[in-house]
Amino acid sequence: MSKTAQSVWDNCLKFIKDNIQPQAYKTWFEPIVAVKLTDKALSIQVPSKFFYEWLEEHYVKILKVALTKELGEHAKLVYIIKMENTYGNKQPFTEKIPSSNRTAVKSQDVDIPLNNKSPELRNPFVIPGIRNVKVESQLNPNYSFDNFLEGDSNRLARSAGLAVASKPGGTSFNPLLIFGGVGLGKTHLAHAIGVDIKDKYPEKTVLYISAEKFTQQYIDAVKKNNRNDFIHFYQIIDVLIIDDVQFLSGKTGTQDVFFHIFNHLHQNGKQVVLTSDKAPVDMQDIEQRLLSRFKWGLSAELQTPDFETRVSILNNKLYRDGVEMPEEIVDYVAKNIKTNVRELEGAIISLIAQSSFNKKEITLDLARIIVEKFVKNTKREVSIDYIQKVVSDYFQMDIDTLQSKTRKRHIVQARQLAMFFAKKFTKASLASIGSQIGKRDHATVLHACKTVDNLSSTDKQFRKYVEDITKKLSV
Ligand code: ADP
Ligand code: MG
């Protein structure tokens, strides 16, 4: 009986199935269709370029063994890549087989119009078991464009967000990266975009997730051997919103997987929205190829709001809560809390609470006390950059010196102090502290913290350093 593409492939599948995890088999081999057999070359159709890359990266060996068993040692494998073409390119379905003597031969990317004739593969995400999963958006409906007040400080980011929301994946703002300092509205705006999209396009799959949670999920997936499921889950998303991507810094595994997911989504015209506390140029320990992707779309900064905007944010908040407050108090709060909208809101909420619980009238004095508390408390929310600056200023060296590889004692000590304070005053992980302070690893940071602890209990001079810097960081 003569061999057909189907019979050869069926035999390969039997062999492969016996040699890999059932889930991996389901995910990566079931969606493949055997297309053609010519002499020693078997052509198989895979749902996407990503799929092909994945097979090449992880299963090329087993494919080779299986195919050689069937077709002899000159066997060749040709991939035909099917893709959902979201840009309406009318290119017909063609295949190209570059000459190569590798077992696995890569065929040219092939774009097929959406109305092609093989409906069973129209959707490149034919992933058994995942197809019917309904994705919970994780969006907070309280964050909308309506209650995100516009001002000079946020006009670009807000308008870009609106544009993205009305045409997800259809603007040049892809990805849209919103960056800015703490409490300036990144998370709010990110949710607002998702909420608006869900409103306009209920059928779209929107997902909001923090980079931290994304990382955790990924680590869990790897532990449970579900990496493929993880990737596939993210590939079915139409609008992926990842908050605080700076969290990925130094996490190469997660960056890698995000890179693949990003490429897949972008290639398929899906929208990606990212937020970060820094502009791409200032991000540390993020792979270059990922940074360059971030820059493909638009980076829009959220700056600190000016006085007028701060007043309108406060008035809006009071209005929504149905509370009246004398104008001079609103002005006082707006004048004194300048760099963080979250604190601005926090102060006004405290004021309302104080006055209603204690039945006190809201006076300027009460406002003063509360504002003071806020400004003081939040001063402690220092950044690692700021800590490095304070420590290097204290020792009269520049930050480059502090971060350098030198083993000179006073520089090493300054660096260790910076690490110690970063651990003490920020929520950053040891790894992230290390990567930001001269690209050290977490063990070095841990060692630094212990050293500082030891020295400050044994060395008087050193204890003074710690006390002085603590004071500087707490003013
Ligand atoms: P970030 O993610 O940048 O740290 P958030 O998005 O959490 O900041 O914003 C902090 C708080 O400030 C939120 O309660 C948010 O609703 C509010 N906020 C920020 N910017 C605005 C704005 N332009 N209008 C109204 N509220 C704002
Ligand atoms: Mg946030």
Side-chain angles (χ1 to χ4, degrees):
M1 208 187 97
S2 70
K3 287 179 172 172
T4 64
Q6 193 61 49
S7 69
V8 168
W9 183 238
D10 282 346
N11 288 337
C12 289
L13 284 181
K14 265 187 216 134
F15 174 77
I16 292 167
K17 195 172 186 173
D18 284 339
N19 284 285
I20 66 174
Q21 300 264 353
Q23 188 58 45
Y25 176 80
K26 260 181 132 180
T27 308
W28 297 106
F29 290 93
E30 277 186 2
I32 295 175
V33 176
V35 179
K36 191 164 81 178
L37 182 69
T38 52
D39 197 17
K40 296 276 177 204
L42 174 69
S43 306
I44 57 170
Q45 193 171 54
V46 298
S48 67
K49 178 147 178 279
F50 176 79
F51 217 94
Y52 145 73
E53 287 171 355
W54 192 271
L55 290 169
E56 274 281 86
E57 215 180 316
H58 300 269
Y59 298 111
V60 71
K61 274 204 193 112
I62 192 164
L63 277 165
K64 182 173 177 169
V65 173
L67 205 60
T68 311
K69 273 172 52 151
E70 289 305 303
L71 297 178
E73 64 170 322
H74 296 295
K76 274 189 183 179
L77 185 63
V78 178
Y79 295 96
I80 299 169
I81 300 165
K82 293 198 72 152
M83 279 208 292
E84 197 176 30
N85 189 338
T86 45
Y87 300 101
N89 186 343
K90 286 277 152 55
Q91 198 186 352
F93 181 60
T94 53
E95 91 183 78
K96 279 194 188 138
I97 307 168
S99 58
S100 155
N101 46 17
R102 297 178 60 197
T103 302
V105 179
K106 171 185 180 180
S107 93
Q108 192 88 355
D109 283 12
V110 182
D111 291 341
I112 329 163
L114 274 173
N115 56 0
N116 72 77
K117 293 215 174 61
S118 32
E120 76 282 2
L121 272 178
R122 263 239 300 276
N123 177 357
F125 313 119
V126 188
I127 309 305
I130 291 191
R131 218 175 332 184
N132 300 323
V133 170
K134 197 172 164 300
V135 176
E136 280 285 330
S137 286
Q138 318 285 343
L139 289 165
N140 180 346
N142 296 326
Y143 286 145
S144 66
F145 278 111
D146 284 343
N147 62 22
F148 189 80
L149 296 186
E150 185 171 343
D152 287 345
S153 56
N154 63 34
R155 191 160 289 119
L156 174 67
R158 191 176 186 280
S159 332
L162 277 166
V164 161
S166 54
K167 258 176 102 185
T171 67
S172 51
F173 308 150
N174 199 11
L176 172 62
L177 173 75
I178 301 161
F179 69 95
V182 191
L184 292 181
K186 301 181 294 292
T187 298
H188 185 141
L189 196 50
H191 278 283
I193 295 169
V195 168
D196 201 24
I197 292 176
K198 259 320 219 191
D199 206 34
K200 291 190 172 109
Y201 306 91
E203 77 289 354
K204 283 205 190 290
T205 308
V206 180
L207 180 70
Y208 166 90
I209 188 155
S210 66
E212 182 168 7
K213 204 160 164 197
F214 178 86
T215 305
Q216 199 49 55
Q217 278 182 1
Y218 175 66
I219 293 168
D220 289 349
V222 171
K223 262 190 212 145
K224 294 189 188 129
N225 244 326
N226 288 336
R227 191 173 187 267
N228 300 339
D229 289 353
F230 174 86
I231 291 170
H232 279 121
F233 172 78
Y234 277 94
Q235 288 182 339
I236 61 166
I237 308 285
D238 295 314
V239 179
L240 178 61
I241 304 169
I242 302 201
D243 204 359
D244 290 319
V245 290
Q246 77 277 356
F247 187 84
L248 300 182
S249 97
K251 305 190 172 63
T252 47
T254 315
Q255 284 180 34
D256 194 49
V257 80
F258 177 58
F259 179 76
H260 279 299
I261 291 166
F262 178 91
N263 283 345
H264 185 94
L265 294 178
H266 197 271
Q267 256 172 26
N268 288 285
K270 310 297 179 164
Q271 180 70 47
V272 178
V273 176
L274 308 167
T275 80
S276 162
D277 68 354
K278 295 185 195 65
V281 284
D282 298 325
M283 288 185 201
Q284 289 183 340
D285 290 310
I286 302 268
E287 284 179 56
Q288 206 49 46
R289 56 179 188 161
L290 207 51
L291 283 183
S292 89
R293 293 300 190 274
F294 292 176
K295 293 178 201 155
W296 276 0
L298 175 76
S299 304
E301 182 171 11
L302 287 176
Q303 292 161 332
T304 51
D306 54 27
F307 178 71
E308 275 74 38
T309 312
R310 299 203 294 277
V311 170
S312 36
I313 290 174
L314 287 179
N315 281 331
N316 182 263
K317 172 100 192 119
L318 291 167
Y319 174 78
R320 276 185 289 132
D321 293 353
V323 177
E324 278 185 34
M325 198 172 287
E327 203 182 308
E328 62 164 351
I329 293 186
V330 174
D331 279 7
Y332 178 82
V333 175
K335 227 173 238 146
N336 287 282
I337 301 183
K338 294 176 197 160
T339 55
N340 185 324
V341 180
R342 190 179 296 130
E343 288 173 27
L344 202 59
E345 286 190 333
I348 222 75
I349 292 167
S350 293
L351 264 176
I352 298 171
Q354 283 285 338
S355 76
S356 59
F357 294 147
N358 303 335
K359 304 255 175 299
K360 271 191 210 154
E361 220 193 308
I362 303 181
T363 60
L364 207 49
D365 278 340
L366 184 61
R368 243 179 231 127
I369 294 167
I370 282 171
V371 164
E372 210 164 89
K373 264 194 205 142
F374 261 86
V375 176
K376 236 192 218 139
N377 277 338
T378 47
K379 275 277 163 57
R380 298 185 77 80
E381 222 177 86
V382 290
S383 69
I384 295 180
D385 287 345
Y386 180 69
I387 290 170
Q388 293 187 78
K389 185 167 177 342
V390 169
V391 173
S392 50
D393 282 354
Y394 181 79
F395 291 110
Q396 292 167 355
M397 60 179 75
D398 50 37
I399 293 186
D400 286 345
T401 311
L402 179 114
Q403 294 185 344
S404 68
K405 304 272 177 223
T406 175
R407 292 181 188 281
K408 282 191 189 133
R409 190 159 162 262
H410 72 288
I411 298 174
V412 172
Q413 281 191 346
R415 189 161 57 234
Q416 290 178 327
L417 279 162
M419 289 173 173
F420 168 84
F421 283 111
K423 183 70 205 146
K424 188 164 170 187
F425 285 140
T426 75
K427 295 189 192 81
S429 67
L430 293 173
S432 150
I433 292 171
S435 77
Q436 291 180 65
I437 306 184
K439 300 209 194 316
R440 305 305 206 277
D441 62 13
H442 82 282
T444 310
V445 181
L446 193 61
H447 176 72
C449 295
K450 284 185 186 151
T451 309
V452 172
D453 269 337
N454 285 340
L455 283 178
S456 44
S457 55
T458 52
D459 179 334
K460 226 169 149 194
Q461 176 62 51
F462 200 84
R463 182 158 58 238
K464 171 121 174 46
Y465 293 160
V466 174
E467 283 165 7
D468 286 351
I469 297 169
T470 304
K471 261 187 221 132
K472 285 190 190 296
L473 287 169
S474 329
V475 227

